[in-house]
Amino acid sequence: MRIHRARTAAGCAFAVACLTGAGNAQTPPAGASGSVVVAKPTYTSIPMEITVNRPAAEVWKRIGKYCDVAEWLQIPTGCAITSGKDGEFGAVRTVGNGEVLVSKTELSYTYTQTPKEGQPYNLYHGTVDVRPLTATTSKIVYTLFFDNSMLPDDAARAADRARRTERFTQALQNMKILAEGGKLPPAPAGGGATAAGAPTR
């Protein structure tokens, strides 16, 4: 009886060791080729805002639908919901490499871009938020958040920040025009040719 128990215990221990070894063998080490994991991320954010001469609820009604991005960012290819429903958690829109709605309030939403196989994931998020100022005015706040550690140096990070700021400041100005009842001017040459996520990779 003791021999049988000892053999059973030894067999179980061997099986656990084999399973553990197999699990470890299937998990690539951090930083391995093709991994999306960034060993030492350096997170940064870019907050931008603009005042609008309309109540917050009216502004959000005009520019706050998830696929309104195609209009105010002037994306020639437009925007479509490929999964879920516009404005609901988990909705995926065809912008950049695909953007998922991960948070929302009555007058805001936050989206993130999905990882891309073989490329470091920069955890890119964007938040569009409309805040009341008075009964007749409000402000739109657009905040970008991402990891810029994969850029080679401070000069590259500064250039990247300037490019993003210019791109999304124009988006804010477009949102203001639309919310106040105006029509957008033609997109700058090449300026509307990329989606919201395209400049962030």
Side-chain angles (χ1 to χ4, degrees), residues 67-80 94-96 167 174 184-199:
C67 261
D68 282 344
V69 61
E71 185 177 13
W72 46 257
L73 206 55
Q74 296 181 294
I75 302 171
T77 54
C79 171
T94 55
V95 175
R167 175 79 166 129
N174 288 347
L184 297 182
T194 54

Side-chain angles (χ1 to χ4, degrees), residues 39-64:
K40 295 181 179 179
T42 53
Y43 298 117
T44 189
S45 61
I46 305 175
M48 299 157 283
E49 63 180 60
I50 195 168
T51 301
V52 184
N53 294 315
R54 287 290 188 278
E58 289 185 17
V59 174
W60 192 249
K61 184 177 180 180
R62 181 62 183 88
I63 58 90

Side-chain angles (χ1 to χ4, degrees), residues 9 89 93:
F89 288 107
R93 65 187 181 189

